């Protein structure tokens, strides 16, 4: 099976990119997939939650001139479970490169990783940048978690345009869809915005949602998946997350 790469991207913070990246990593690992996570967000939230899985490589190294380091680093290593490529401050230097050069370097490194992993997950920063665009130019799939708030929907509109643009340079990129996240059915504005989102984007919206669940935030803070939170309140959250991971992995064709 060829490695499949998924970027979580939307040019707005707080939508659930990192939440999704981490839960896909945890779930992929328990399914026996070899999962590598590249944290391209300078905020480093995924690096915090997945810290126990840090391999010693840093995200900026995925833009090195040659993939030799990656090729030798993973060759004699047990690559099962989750492998984290940690964020670092040198990511800022990537913004000084031409986008085309940055994207070519990242693509070369993702290609090198494909010898050792089944799934590559890329967490991206909440703004359009060389690293975000490079991620989309290196990925096979992209998904966009989105809150049911006006600013978020505006961010979504921009993201759809960016994805459409970048697909010209990376025609293999498939949009798995928008993931309505942190949905609170008790807020009429959310219910209304959900209807607007589904009406405007139809098939581009995943056919389920994830509610606002305290146990999800608690789990990420405790560096564990939500199904390891031993509270009855975590059960519904677990169900919702697992519907999402199953759907995404099926679309990526990494599971049956
Ligand atoms: N469904 C949810 N319910 C409750 N809290 C959530 C949910 N999804 C994400 N969060 C929390 O909201 C914040 C933003 O999520 P995060 O994944 O970091 O967004 P992003 O990576 O898009 O900036 C985090 O504190 C996270 O723990
Ligand atoms: Mg994040």
């Amino acid at each position: 099976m060829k490695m499949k790469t998924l970027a979580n991207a939307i040019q707005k913070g707080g939508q659930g990119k990192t939440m999704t990246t981490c839960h896909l990593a945890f779930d992929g690992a328990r399914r026996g997939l070899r999962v590598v996570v590249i944290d391209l967000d300078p905020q480093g939230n995924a690096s915090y939650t997945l810290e126990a899985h840090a391999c010693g490589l840093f995200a900026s190294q995925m833009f090195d001139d040659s993939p030799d380091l990656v090729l030798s680093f993973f060759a004699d290593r047990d690559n099962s479970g989750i492998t984290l490529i940690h964020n670092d401050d040198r990511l800022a230097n990537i913004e000084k490169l031409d986008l085309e050069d940055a994207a070519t370097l990242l693509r070369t490194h993702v290609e090198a990783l494909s010898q050792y992993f089944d799934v590559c997950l890329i967490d991206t920063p909440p703004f359009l940048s060389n690293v975000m665009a490079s991620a989309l130019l290196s990925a096979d799939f992209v998904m966009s978690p989105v809150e049911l708030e006006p600013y978020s929907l505006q961010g979504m509109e921009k993201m759809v345009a960016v994805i459409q643009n970048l697909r010209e340079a990376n025609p293999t990129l498939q949009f798995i869809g928008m993931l309505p996240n942190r949905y609170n059915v008790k807020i009429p504005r959310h219910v209304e915005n959900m209807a607007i989102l589904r009406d405007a984007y139809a098939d581009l919206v995943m056919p389920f949602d994830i509610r606002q669940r305290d146990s999800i935030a608690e789990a990420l803070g405790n560096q564990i998946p939500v199904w390891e939170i031993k509270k009855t309140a975590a059960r519904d959250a677990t169900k919702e997350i697992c519907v999402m991971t199953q759907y995404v992995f099926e679309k990526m064709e990494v599971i049956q």
Side-chain angles (χ1 to χ4, degrees), residues 17-18 41 45 123:
K17 292 181 288 296
T18 301
D41 185 356
N45 299 137
D123 203 26

Side-chain angles (χ1 to χ4, degrees), residues 157-210:
E157 204 171 312
K158 288 190 190 132
M159 196 64 233
V160 169
V162 168
I163 292 170
Q164 265 163 7
N165 262 332
L166 292 176
R167 279 186 65 171
E168 283 170 29
N170 178 14
T172 56
L173 182 68
Q174 285 182 48
F175 186 38
I176 295 186
M178 306 169 196
L179 168 65
N181 184 32
R182 307 184 72 172
Y183 182 31
N184 185 343
V185 287
K186 291 189 184 130
I187 301 177
R189 185 179 67 254
H190 278 197
V191 177
E192 199 177 308
N193 284 335
M194 179 71 105
I196 291 171
L197 193 71
R198 292 205 180 278
D199 189 50
Y201 293 109
D203 289 351
L204 294 184
V205 189
M206 295 185 190
F208 48 82
D209 58 71
I210 297 178

Side-chain angles (χ1 to χ4, degrees), residues 7-10 142-146 156 159 163 175 177-180 206:
N8 251 290
I10 179 167
V142 54
M143 65 179 283
S144 304
V146 64
M156 193 64 252
M159 196 64 233
I163 292 170
F175 186 38
M178 306 169 196
L179 168 65
M206 295 185 190

Side-chain angles (χ1 to χ4, degrees), residues 84-147:
L84 168 70
I85 299 179
H86 205 287
N87 86 301
D88 63 320
D89 292 342
R90 280 163 296 171
L91 272 176
N93 298 334
I94 310 305
E95 299 312 315
K96 296 176 201 151
L97 303 177
D98 282 341
L99 172 57
E100 214 173 301
D101 294 340
T104 301
L105 294 171
L106 182 62
R107 215 181 297 122
T108 305
H109 280 77
V110 168
E111 186 59 38
L113 288 170
S114 72
Q115 292 195 31
Y116 307 108
F117 297 96
D118 304 306
V119 175
C120 174
L121 303 172
I122 308 183
D123 203 26
T124 67
F127 42 85
L128 189 57
S129 52
N130 272 351
V131 286
M132 193 227 255
S134 299
L136 296 183
L137 291 171
S138 304
D140 308 303
F141 301 94
V142 54
M143 65 179 283
S144 304
V146 64
E147 270 190 300

